[in-house]
Amino acid sequence: MNNSTVCVVGGGIVGLSTAYFLAKEKIQVLLIERDSFGSHASGFAYGSLSPLGEAGIYKDISSEIELALFGMDLHKQFSHKLPEMTGIDIQHRFRPALDIAFSDQEVIECKSQVEWRKQYKGYKSEWLDLAQVKKIVPEISSEIIGAAYTEGVADLDPYRLILALVQACEKMGVVIQHGEVTGINTKGDTVTSLNTKTKEIPCSDLVLAMGPWMKNISSWINIEIPIKPLKGQIIKLNVPNTSIDCSVGWNGNYACTKLDDLLWLGTTEEDVGFDSNITSDGRDHLISNLLKMFPNLDNAELVHQTACLRPLAKDGIAIIDKLEQYSNVTLASGAGRKGILLGPAMGKLTSELVTDQKTSININEFSIGRFQK
Ligand SMILES: Cc1cc2nc3c(=O)[nH]c(=O)nc-3n(C[C@H](O)[C@H](O)[C@H](O)COP(=O)(O)OP(=O)(O)OC[C@H]3O[C@@H](n4cnc5c(N)ncnc54)[C@H](O)[C@@H]3O)c2cc1C
């Protein structure tokens, strides 16, 4: 490596996507990852690509909608390009989503979601009553009043996506090193190199894409990065003779049979710092929500349980920005619950910031400066 190398710290979806798009521009890239690829949120997520909102209650995601739609487009490109380059099937597929409503208040929220979602080209959304929902998912609880049905949304297997991105990056010449970055060295307003536990590595530019661990690097760059970990747990179940072929969401929970024939169910939201252990409380919470949505699935057999940490920015919106203090440092993190969807877009925009190109979309909303106001 030499001082014309861009160093990317963090091999989650954001760091890997950044390396991928830089390498496409023929930039020399070194990516440094501390742990096994896919061993954190980017490998253990649910993998839903829902640019028009999350499961259950309507959430205003308007400030990130353009980024989310851009992410969706890049995922479509990845779904062809990555298997072609690597032979890895990332299991990207379009399947509908049903946001179900048990109460009158939830009906109001779902119906307003339908109105809002209908505006977007390429997406179809309508309100369905219980009988119509039963035709699509016979296992659904008879207690629901109805659901917002949305087409145009998708999912994939996040772990396979990460493996494919690693291989694609390597094929395009990205150098991948295992190691923990422990600090940076500067000259004036420029970062000249970074330190790992064993060596100093020169760089022309530095991209920090360290997920929730961005929280710990304030002393490197003399600025607080208001990102914290938000733990989530997922369970995977074997449910004989049952396939839930659309993602059913309620109250922040969602469930769908994935292409591995297991019913994936997520997820908890736990503000417990950097603890990423699975718990019996988390499992029980998810199972009780499963039975609320599908009361007859009590024969489901637990196969796998995982936990991981979302990087959540203080205001819930991603950070994609160059630092004022150090002109060759770019930050990319904080995508929270939507990092798999947003990751490729964040990587593309970050690569554009590094190469001083015009960014594909306006990124003012994602500035680090917004926290200093
Ligand atoms: C249970 C759960 C379900 C989810 N489901 C979805 C979903 O359905 N759809 C969706 O869009 N999003 C989902 N997400 C969110 C998504 O997983 C995250 O937002 C996204 O993976 C974050 O990616 P990242 O690259 O920013 O961070 P990470 O994946 O955390 O990657 C950061 C990497 O940086 C490395 N690192 C940190 N410090 C250092 C250092 N000093 N030196 C070297 N390497 C370092 C870490 O080891 C890590 O690999 C889910 C999250 C959870 C927890």
Side-chain angles (χ1 to χ4, degrees):
M1 290 303 110
N2 56 42
N3 46 16
S4 61
T5 302
V6 177
C7 287
V8 177
V9 187
I13 187 160
V14 177
L16 283 164
S17 300
T18 303
Y20 175 94
F21 287 112
L22 284 170
K24 252 185 113 177
E25 295 294 319
K26 311 279 180 234
I27 307 283
Q28 190 175 330
V29 184
L30 170 72
L31 182 138
I32 307 172
E33 168 56 50
R34 182 188 55 188
D35 298 323
S36 316
F37 284 105
S39 62
H40 296 295
S42 298
F44 285 133
Y46 176 76
S48 175
L49 306 177
S50 311
L52 303 183
E54 291 197 342
I57 301 167
Y58 169 80
K59 289 194 177 80
D60 182 6
I61 62 159
S62 56
S63 53
E64 280 182 328
I65 191 78
E66 202 185 353
L67 183 64
L69 293 170
F70 185 37
M72 202 67 178
D73 283 347
L74 294 174
H75 272 290
K76 268 186 232 161
Q77 293 176 24
F78 275 3
S79 74
H80 301 292
K81 196 73 197 158
L82 293 179
E84 194 182 292
M85 285 178 80
T86 67
I88 298 174
D89 176 6
I90 61 171
Q91 303 195 335
H92 178 283
R93 60 168 180 172
F94 286 93
R95 51 96 188 106
L98 277 169
D99 294 315
I100 58 177
F102 286 93
S103 67
D104 292 340
Q105 182 55 34
E106 286 169 0
V107 171
I108 294 170
E109 283 156 0
C110 284
K111 285 188 172 171
S112 89
Q113 261 179 356
V114 166
E115 289 313 307
W116 183 70
R117 287 174 176 172
K118 275 200 305 209
Q119 300 167 26
Y120 287 90
K121 203 170 146 246
Y123 297 85
K124 183 184 149 195
S125 194
E126 60 181 318
W127 169 257
L128 302 182
D129 64 21
L130 171 62
Q132 291 170 306
V133 176
K134 282 258 180 206
K135 278 193 188 147
I136 301 171
V137 183
E139 299 81 4
I140 205 80
S141 166
S142 300
E143 304 282 304
I144 69 159
I145 302 171
Y149 172 84
T150 306
E151 279 179 13
V153 292
D155 68 18
L156 49 70
D157 182 320
Y159 186 67
R160 286 165 173 263
L161 171 66
I162 292 302
L163 294 188
L165 271 172
V166 172
Q167 282 195 21
C169 282
E170 281 184 320
K171 285 203 162 141
M172 291 193 297
V174 173
V175 177
I176 292 187
Q177 265 184 34
H178 182 256
E180 177 167 354
V181 175
T182 53
I184 56 173
N185 304 301
T186 60
K187 193 172 176 193
D189 76 341
T190 307
V191 172
T192 51
S193 60
L194 48 82
N195 304 320
T196 68
K197 285 183 173 164
T198 53
K199 60 184 165 192
E200 183 178 345
I201 301 172
C203 62
S204 62
D205 280 84
L206 178 62
V207 174
L208 299 170
M210 297 152 66
W213 294 275
M214 298 284 272
K215 181 184 165 65
N216 299 335
I217 60 166
S218 310
S219 62
W220 300 4
I221 53 175
N222 306 321
I223 183 178
E224 196 206 335
I225 304 181
I227 289 179
K228 69 172 188 180
L230 182 68
K231 177 168 154 182
Q233 301 191 49
I234 286 185
I235 55 177
K236 298 180 188 174
L237 304 143
N238 182 23
V239 196
N241 308 319
T242 302
S243 185
I244 310 291
D245 295 327
C246 55
S247 188
V248 179
W250 172 71
N251 198 22
N253 300 281
Y254 27 86
C256 182
T257 306
K258 295 276 208 122
L259 293 176
D260 59 6
D261 282 338
L262 296 175
L263 180 68
W264 293 34
L265 173 71
T267 170
T268 62
E269 288 188 2
E270 302 164 66
D271 193 357
V272 292
F274 284 97
D275 168 6
S276 60
N277 292 311
I278 57 168
T279 63
S280 49
D281 280 355
R283 178 201 61 208
D284 294 349
H285 169 83
L286 292 171
I287 288 177
S288 84
N289 281 302
L290 173 78
L291 295 178
K292 170 93 177 168
M293 296 193 282
F294 311 102
N296 297 328
L297 295 195
D298 50 359
N299 61 341
E301 175 200 355
L302 182 65
V303 176
H304 200 201
Q305 182 177 1
T306 56
C308 55
L309 305 171
R310 308 166 178 93
L312 186 70
K314 199 171 172 184
D315 59 3
I317 297 170
I319 299 170
I320 313 164
D321 202 3
K322 272 199 156 179
L323 274 186
E324 241 177 68
Q325 295 84 330
Y326 297 112
S327 54
N328 61 344
V329 177
T330 309
L331 310 176
S333 185
R337 300 170 190 82
K338 297 183 290 289
I340 299 299
L341 169 65
L342 303 183
M346 291 172 71
K348 172 82 173 133
L349 295 165
T350 303
S351 76
E352 290 168 346
L353 283 177
V354 171
T355 52
D356 287 328
Q357 294 173 47
K358 188 175 176 305
T359 51
S360 301
I361 62 168
N362 185 314
I363 56 168
N364 289 347
E365 296 270 7
F366 312 118
S367 78
I368 181 76
R370 72 188 191 260
F371 298 105
Q372 270 110 52
K373 281 177 192 150

